[in-house]
Structures are given as C-alpha cells and as structure tokens.
Amino acid sequence: MAGHGTAHLRPADEVLLRVESLVVEFPVGRTGLTVHAVSDVSIDVKPGETLGLVGESGCGKSTTGRAVMQLVRPKGGSVTFDGHDLTQLKGEELRETRPKLQMIFQDPISSLNPRRRIRDIVREGLDIWKIGDDAARNAKVTEVLETVGIDPEAAGPRRPHEFSGGQCQRISIARAVATEPKLIICDEPVSALDVSVQAQILNLLQEMKQRYGLTLIFIAHDLAVVKNVSDRVAVMYLGKICEVSGPDELYAQPAHPYTAALLLAIPVPDPTVRPAERSGVGGEIPSPVAPPSGCRFRTRCLKATDRCAQEEPEIREVRPDHFVACHFPMEPGETLAAPAPTAGNGSHPDI
C-alpha cells in the first residue's frame, strides 16, 4: 500500500480539483526525526462529485484535506483547484481562493467561536468578502440556517455552547455554504455524533450538495458511511493511496487486502456472528516516523512476500475504473485467508 503513481487521475480539464504527488511532513521536536504524514498522494474530484477518502485513524486523510486547503503547507506536490496551483499562491492571492474552498471540521463545537453569536458566525464570511449589501447578507444567513434546519430567529442571538453537537454541525454546514463555495472538504463530519444524528447530517449534506451544486471530499474511517454518500472512493493507509474505485465495485470486489480488511471490520447486525470469527488483519499501524520499506502494509498483510519488502507497488488499473497499488491484488470472489501465517514459516518475510 505504499503505493505511488497517477494512473487513477483523470484528464485535468475534466476535474475541479487535482492533487498530484502530495507530500506533507512534520518535524518531531529537536530529535531530527520526521513524521511522514502524507507521502506521494494523488487524488482528483470532478465538479458535482463526492470523493470518499477513508482509512484507519492516523493514516493521513485529515492532513490531506488540510493540505488541500493550504492550512498545512505541503512539502511537495501540487494542488490544482479550478485551474490554479494553490501551492504556488501566497498572501492575498491565496486568500482570494478561500470563499470557493470551505471545510467542515470534525469537532463541530470547538470549530465555532464560543464568543460569537450564531448569526454572526454564519455571516462572517459574507462580511469579510463584502458579498452583497447588509439586507442581502441577512437574507443569505436566514436562508442557509433554515436550509440546515435551524430556526434563524431563535438561534441567531445565541452562542454555540447552547446547542447540541448535531445542531452545531448543522450550523457549521450553514457557515460553509454561505459564501457559495465550489468545494467543501468534510473532515469526519459525523464521527462525533450519535447514530441517529449521523443519518440526519448525511441526508442534509446530500440535500445541500444538490441545492447548491457542491463538490465534496468526504473524509471518514467508516466505510459503511462513505458508501452511501460517495461517487468515488479512495482508500489510504499510512500516508499512501492504496485503492481507488466506485463505491459499488469497491465494496463488492475489493482488490487490496487492506480494503477487504476494512470491509470485514464493518459491524454485522447479526448476534450469532462473533467479531473474533471473522477474518481480517491484526496488529497496529507502523509508526509514520519510520514507515516500512516497500509496501507499507506488508507488516500486516496476509499475502506479503519478499517482493513487497523490496519494491513499492505502483497504482494500476486492474478492472475498468478500479485502481490498486498492490503486487498481488485480490481476484473477484477472493477472501482474506485466516489465520495470518506467523513470521518465519516460509510464506512471509521476517517482519
């Protein structure tokens, strides 16, 4: 899954956003060590499309989203949005792209200024960019709050701490769409919410997408959630893209062992099925400070060989519009073997 390459990228004139060979690294204090958070990641999104970006916690998906927004400046690669490479913009030029790029953060309550009133929070972008006159701005705030199911008269003069997590997330969505952006990055927008509220927020995002013609990047670690909202899904592991496909194809016929393991981790609503009886992968994600050589997933992969330790796989098309970075992709109908062979039995390298 340490995969590289751009075979899955579509022609530049067809996409709104094209991220190519993105690299984000962070120093570890004064130790001289480096966290390789995002390593050679390439993704794209067509206008009106929703890209699901999934993977375990710590795989770099949120950092990728922040790097697209230039909240974290990448060390390498390009982020081309609407024909402009954001990595080459600075100062006022970069600032002018902000109205068209918005983000919904994972923690809905802490992402809202606790000292400001709800109407002012939603209106702030309109005031900063002087979009419309005073009456038009008030009308826009009322419109977006009503659209997300918040009463503007009752909620407008109140502050974030007076609302539940689900209500704060609705307010965050209203703030994001107020400036009529082209792209919204949703960073795990439902992970902190109750299941019943999750469904409401997901339905709301779909409604807002249709109403305002939005393009979305939906970041999550829950594949069951992503399937329902995405037009295309990209799977990440330890800072790398390992598989890209449409959601139906990906869920029905995963080609990468890691994707298959994620799918097996989805809870089954059957009391007779015990989690321990289901095949999958064990162990912990290796440290991004010292990622494994070759394929980064090899230390947990049931199909790993010496080649996986020596050679990094390149992403390639294995079926129509289905791309995978694996030397030994899974065939349709193939399942993960269990239990995992132990190191030193001749099947796997000593890892």
Side-chain angles (χ1 to χ4, degrees):
M1 187 145 343
H4 66 284
T6 58
H8 57 295
L9 296 184
R10 294 161 291 191
D13 59 351
E14 296 182 6
V15 299
L16 175 65
L17 175 74
R18 182 184 176 98
V19 178
E20 191 167 350
S21 302
L22 188 71
V23 177
V24 181
E25 297 178 347
F26 302 104
V28 183
R30 300 180 181 180
T31 63
L33 301 175
T34 299
V35 174
H36 303 277
V38 178
S39 305
D40 198 10
V41 163
S42 299
I43 55 174
D44 61 15
V45 194
K46 287 185 175 182
E49 188 177 61
T50 297
L51 172 69
L53 191 60
V54 299
E56 292 174 287
S57 297
C59 71
K61 54 191 186 296
S62 292
T63 302
T64 299
R66 290 171 179 269
V68 169
M69 293 284 296
Q70 303 300 298
L71 299 178
V72 175
R73 298 292 275 186
K75 182 179 180 180
S78 62
V79 179
T80 305
F81 171 72
D82 205 16
H84 302 282
D85 185 355
L86 302 185
T87 62
Q88 302 301 313
L89 302 181
K90 296 181 180 179
E92 190 63 25
E93 284 185 316
L94 178 60
R95 185 172 176 269
E96 289 176 356
T97 67
R98 296 302 191 198
K100 299 303 179 183
L101 277 168
Q102 293 293 327
M103 193 163 188
I104 301 170
F105 295 92
Q106 182 174 355
D107 186 345
I109 297 177
S110 66
S111 68
L112 302 176
N113 189 332
R115 306 182 70 177
R116 305 202 67 184
R117 301 183 188 277
I118 298 305
R119 178 168 286 276
D120 295 332
I121 289 173
V122 177
R123 178 174 159 148
E124 184 175 15
L126 302 174
D127 290 334
I128 290 173
W129 294 103
K130 298 179 173 58
I131 300 174
D133 57 21
D134 187 68
R137 294 173 198 171
N138 285 331
K140 187 66 175 180
V141 172
T142 298
E143 174 198 330
V144 294
L145 284 175
E146 288 179 341
T147 302
V148 300
I150 298 292
D151 183 350
E153 296 299 324
R158 297 164 66 186
R159 291 184 169 84
H161 73 272
E162 300 179 69
F163 296 88
S164 67
Q167 290 173 318
C168 284
Q169 196 62 288
R170 289 174 180 269
I171 294 166
S172 298
I173 294 171
R175 176 182 60 180
V177 302
T179 58
E180 298 185 1
K182 292 185 177 181
L183 174 70
I184 295 181
I185 298 175
C186 307
D187 184 11
E188 304 208 32
V190 298
S191 64
L193 306 177
D194 293 336
V195 174
S196 60
V197 180
Q198 286 184 13
Q200 296 174 14
I201 297 299
L202 291 174
N203 291 334
L204 175 60
L205 285 171
Q206 290 294 87
E207 293 172 8
M208 301 292 277
K209 177 184 175 182
Q210 297 298 325
R211 179 165 183 163
Y212 294 100
L214 300 174
T215 302
L216 303 178
I217 296 179
F218 193 94
I219 299 171
H221 58 263
D222 187 341
L223 271 78
V225 169
V226 170
K227 181 181 181 182
N228 295 322
V229 300
S230 301
D231 300 300
R232 209 178 194 211
V233 179
V235 183
M236 284 190 69
Y237 179 83
L238 202 61
K240 291 281 189 176
I241 295 291
C242 64
E243 189 166 3
V244 179
S245 179
D248 292 335
E249 166 75 11
L250 187 80
Y251 283 65
Q253 299 180 350
H256 201 287
Y258 177 63
T259 306
L262 285 181
L263 292 172
L264 286 172
I266 298 175
V268 176
D270 184 350
T272 64
V273 177
R274 296 176 61 85
E277 296 172 352
R278 305 174 67 200
S279 302
V281 294
E284 299 292 332
I285 299 178
S287 171
V289 174
S293 62
C295 176
R296 293 188 178 182
F297 186 60
R298 65 177 179 81
T299 58
R300 302 170 69 193
C301 184
L302 308 180
K303 303 181 71 173
T305 68
D306 290 336
R307 179 186 179 187
C308 302
Q310 299 167 2
E311 180 184 344
E312 181 180 11
E314 183 171 357
I315 195 163
R316 56 194 172 95
E317 189 172 26
V318 291
R319 292 187 285 275
D321 199 32
H322 192 156
F323 302 85
V324 65
C326 182
H327 295 306
F328 310 104
M330 298 176 63
E331 298 294 334
E334 182 181 354
T335 58
L336 290 179
T342 57
N345 67 354
S347 300
H348 300 278
D350 190 9
I351 51 181

